Amino acid sequence: LEFCVEDSSDVKVTFEDQRLVFSCKNADGVELYNEINLYARINSKDSREKRSDRSITCFMRKWKEKVAWPRITKENIKPAWLSVDFDNWRDWEGDEELERAALEQYAEMLEKVTDKSPPPAM
């Protein structure tokens, strides 16, 4: 999750098993607060946040990895302030096919490099 808040201060992010609590102050000193009940459980001990000049990004590790969530929130309604960042989108389904194709391409390249043909004549 990314909270777009320029020049934030007093940033506090609390990761709980199935909830994220976020608060900070913006450049004007206005306090912002948000609680998000997550769709499923996360590993709160392995989740982190990173603050930059323009935003606070929360990296949450799912409890069950490689299991797609139909949405980020527990509620089946999309808050108006929430949107998908397609620049960071990763489609978990189909990753195995991509990994297999990359592995096959690597094996072909390795086969060409390790070809035991005689050296070129000079």
Side-chain angles (χ1 to χ4, degrees), residues 11-53:
V11 176
K12 293 180 186 117
V13 179
T14 304
F15 298 99
E16 297 176 2
D17 285 347
Q18 219 165 331
R19 187 170 77 133
L20 173 103
V21 180
F22 168 83
S23 67
C24 74
K25 290 183 181 175
N26 68 11
D28 297 328
V30 175
E31 190 167 330
L32 306 170
Y33 179 85
N34 204 328
E35 284 186 38
I36 301 170
N37 292 314
L38 302 169
Y39 177 79
R41 190 172 177 197
I42 62 169
N43 183 341
S44 57
K45 304 236 187 289
D46 198 20
S47 296
R48 304 279 181 265
E49 78 274 356
K50 179 182 176 185
R51 183 193 166 279
S52 71
D53 290 341

Side-chain angles (χ1 to χ4, degrees), residues 27 87 91 103 105 110:
D87 291 338
D91 189 5
L103 184 61
Q105 184 180 9
L110 191 60

